[in-house]
Amino acid sequence: GAAFGIPHGHTSCIMLPAVMRWNKTVNAARQALVSGAMADVPGAASDDAGDKLDAFIAGLEMPRSLGAVDIGPEHFQSIAEQAMGTPWVPRNPRPIGGPEDVVKILELAA
């Protein structure tokens, strides 16, 4: 976010549903708890935690895609390579093997 002048709160709103969807294969049980806690979110497309978070964020009128803050696919590789140097990538519930995995997450948030 900082490299593009996007506030952290906005990047969290944009990326969290995508990260949840990408991680679901390894933490579905934990995500089910999140989904259950958000049972009353209006407008959710399903019981999926990522969908419920996306609907909640929509209700707050926050940006919900990278495109909404003018970050296009032409930037994904650079963002992915920079992300590999952060302390968060090694802590992700689903192992991130390299920049190509980060690009996949960014594509989910496009």
Side-chain angles (χ1 to χ4, degrees), residues 14-106:
I14 293 165
M15 294 307 302
L16 185 56
V19 171
M20 295 284 286
R21 290 176 180 121
W22 196 79
N23 282 323
K24 190 172 181 177
T25 61
V26 299
N27 66 3
R30 292 177 77 184
Q31 289 196 33
L33 295 173
V34 172
S35 179
M38 300 182 77
D40 296 331
V41 174
S46 72
D47 283 335
D48 179 80
D51 289 344
K52 286 192 176 183
L53 285 168
D54 188 51
F56 178 76
I57 293 164
L60 297 174
E61 299 182 3
M62 296 293 287
R64 295 171 34 234
S65 71
L66 291 168
V69 292
D70 298 322
I71 298 175
E74 67 276 11
H75 300 290
F76 290 0
Q77 187 63 38
S78 173
I79 293 168
E81 290 170 8
Q82 291 177 17
M84 295 306 296
T86 69
W88 310 115
V89 167
R91 292 179 174 88
N92 194 66
R94 179 177 167 185
I96 295 175
E100 64 281 354
D101 286 339
V102 178
V103 168
K104 291 176 186 173
I105 297 168
L106 294 168

